[in-house]
Amino acid sequence: MRKELVNIWNRVMRIKILHPLVIVGRKMIFSNTLNAMVDFMERHTNAAGLKETNDFFESNRERIARNKECLADEKSREVYENIIKYRSTLKRKYLYLARSPYYEQYFAPDIIKLKKHEFLLIVVHM
């Protein structure tokens, strides 16, 4: 689906008379508007696959609950739930809720606590 949209977009970019449309399109690409439109189309064109996914989660509810109990912290359980919600609905907001900010991704502030005069230096040798 996304590949088809990119191909259409590339064709439109070549037509000079559509320049105003190109300007609006660029603004959409760099916003969440295009993603929301694509997500909406995917949800409505893939209804059978979405129903199958929901049936799977419904029939495996107990296994999912046991898996969730095995997770060590609340953040991990929250990410697990949001990924399942995303796969059940294809709503991108659940993916955004599942991710961590970049600066917390590898060095959680509750684990590594640097004082004001300290800094973390990471050296990668290749």
Side-chain angles (χ1 to χ4, degrees), residues 32 75 78-80 82-83 92-102 104-105:
N32 286 330
K75 181 67 178 169
E78 183 181 311
V79 168
Y80 187 72
N82 284 319
I83 294 297
R92 203 174 284 251
K93 70 179 182 180
Y94 295 117
L95 283 182
Y96 292 128
L97 293 171
R99 69 181 186 169
S100 296
Y102 177 75
E104 290 181 7
Q105 194 169 27

Side-chain angles (χ1 to χ4, degrees), residues 104-115:
E104 290 181 7
Q105 194 169 27
Y106 299 105
F107 304 104
D110 57 336
I111 296 174
I112 297 177
K113 296 180 183 175
L114 299 176
K115 296 179 181 161

Side-chain angles (χ1 to χ4, degrees), residues 6-23:
V6 169
N7 287 336
I8 292 170
W9 176 252
N10 287 335
R11 283 189 220 132
V12 169
M13 292 290 285
R14 291 186 204 127
I15 302 170
K16 298 293 182 191
I17 199 165
L18 297 176
H19 190 69
L21 178 65
V22 170
I23 292 170

Side-chain angles (χ1 to χ4, degrees), residues 60-74:
N60 290 290
R61 186 185 306 175
E62 292 171 5
R63 286 175 54 196
I64 291 169
R66 284 195 307 268
N67 287 341
K68 188 176 155 188
E69 289 172 10
C70 293
L71 298 172
D73 60 316
E74 189 58 37

